[in-house]
């Protein structure tokens, strides 16, 4: 069973690719964003440390972390991004390792796809047999973000500026899947099939 890290810029279509893979092939999928979010919920393994680090003003009335408030605090401060990552990344990696073993023991899957924006930053690539970069041109990604998430151009510019490590991922991943608007679903399936 292969472990495949799947990364790419926001709007490139990481989720599209992994969901297609899951639909067409015997693969399991782990979305690290969802794992991190779950672990920051009340009672989750990252919750207490995040609240200690960023203070109770990030909490909603029910005690849950206000993700928008937390994002506002860390988005403009590189040191705070490092702090939150130092808390959350090890917990996410531990969970991912456990799930991989669980999937391996089940004997049902040809591969586990680990979908993550921070493949290299979180050193998630170290637990993968291979890494895929999902790539789409910036204009295509911008168009998708406006349509699917209703983001403003300013917000997209800020995200691209902060997150865009496309070139690094393209150089360091073992495989690239280009997912521009003219890419058909069957072409994507074929590109996935080649590596599975």
């Amino acid at each position: 069973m292969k472990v495949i890290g799947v990364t790419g810029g926001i709007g490139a279509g990481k989720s599209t690719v992994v969901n297609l893979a899951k639909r067409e092939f015997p693969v399991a999928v782990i979305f690290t964003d969802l794992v991190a979010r779950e672990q920051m919920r009340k009672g989750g393994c990252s919750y207490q440390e995040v609240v200690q680090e960023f203070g109770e003003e990030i909490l909603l009335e029910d005690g849950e972390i206000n993700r928008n408030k937390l994002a506002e605090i860390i988005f403009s401060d590189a040191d705070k991004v490092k702090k939150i990552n130092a808390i959350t990344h090890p917990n996410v990696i531990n969970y991912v390792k456990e799930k991989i073993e669980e999937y391996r023991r089940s004997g049902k899957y040809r591969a586990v796809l680990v979908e993550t924006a921070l493949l290299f930053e979180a050193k998630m690539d170290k637990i993968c047999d291979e890494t895929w970069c999902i790539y789409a041109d910036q204009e295509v990604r911008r168009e998708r973000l406006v349509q699917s998430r209703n983001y403003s151009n300013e917000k997209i510019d800020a995200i691209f500026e902060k997150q865009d490590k496309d070139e690094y991922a393209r150089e360091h991943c073992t495989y690239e899947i280009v997912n521009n608007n003219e890419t058909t679903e069957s072409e994507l399936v074929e590109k996935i099939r080649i590596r599975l």
Side-chain angles (χ1 to χ4, degrees):
M1 188 191 79
K2 270 189 196 178
V3 178
I4 300 168
V6 182
T7 195
I10 186 169
K14 295 184 293 296
S15 301
T16 302
V17 169
V18 295
N19 286 326
L20 265 180
K22 192 174 179 183
R23 191 185 82 192
E24 299 289 327
F25 305 100
V27 300
V29 174
I30 302 170
F31 292 96
T32 60
D33 269 3
L34 297 181
V35 174
R37 193 176 300 176
E38 204 50 44
Q39 290 178 340
M40 276 203 287
R41 291 181 67 89
K42 219 168 161 183
C45 58
S46 299
Y47 175 86
Q48 209 55 52
E49 224 179 318
V50 171
V51 174
Q52 274 171 348
E53 182 62 52
F54 295 96
E56 294 197 355
E57 65 269 19
I58 64 166
L59 296 179
L60 295 162
E61 281 180 17
D62 63 1
E64 291 291 352
I65 290 171
N66 180 337
R67 292 171 44 77
N68 292 335
K69 177 87 172 158
L70 182 61
E72 269 171 41
I73 292 168
I74 65 173
F75 199 67
S76 54
D77 188 329
D79 284 340
K80 287 182 176 159
V81 171
K82 280 187 187 135
K83 280 181 180 160
I84 190 111
N85 289 345
I87 296 167
T88 59
H89 287 175
N91 291 336
V92 171
I93 287 174
N94 287 339
Y95 174 88
V96 169
K97 285 177 174 172
E98 282 170 20
K99 288 305 278 184
I100 288 167
E101 284 319 305
E102 196 182 298
Y103 291 138
R104 189 169 272 129
R105 282 194 303 273
S106 80
K108 290 186 203 166
Y109 303 101
R110 194 183 299 177
V112 175
L113 303 186
V114 181
E115 196 257 40
T116 179
L118 301 172
L119 180 69
F120 296 103
E121 297 84 337
K123 309 231 179 319
M124 199 82 70
D125 58 308
K126 305 279 183 252
I127 60 171
C128 298
D129 300 309
E130 63 180 70
T131 50
W132 296 0
C133 174
I134 313 306
Y135 177 80
D137 296 333
Q138 218 173 61
E139 308 75 66
V140 172
R141 291 163 53 205
R142 181 181 295 278
E143 198 180 294
R144 288 175 184 162
L145 291 169
V146 169
Q147 284 175 357
S148 66
R149 303 189 194 183
N150 207 16
Y151 283 2
S152 69
N153 277 317
E154 294 73 33
K155 181 167 186 169
I156 295 168
D157 287 340
I159 292 169
F160 282 175
E161 204 176 301
K162 284 265 185 288
Q163 291 186 348
D164 237 355
K165 303 164 202 86
D166 261 7
E167 288 315 308
Y168 186 89
R170 293 181 85 184
E171 280 169 34
H172 292 83
C173 281
T174 43
Y175 187 57
E176 180 177 82
I177 295 178
V178 176
N179 181 30
N180 282 320
N181 289 343
E182 64 275 10
T183 312
T184 66
E185 191 175 278
S186 56
E187 282 171 336
L188 285 178
V189 170
E190 205 39 56
K191 287 173 182 175
I192 296 164
R193 186 191 311 278
I194 290 166
R195 301 304 290 191
L196 294 177

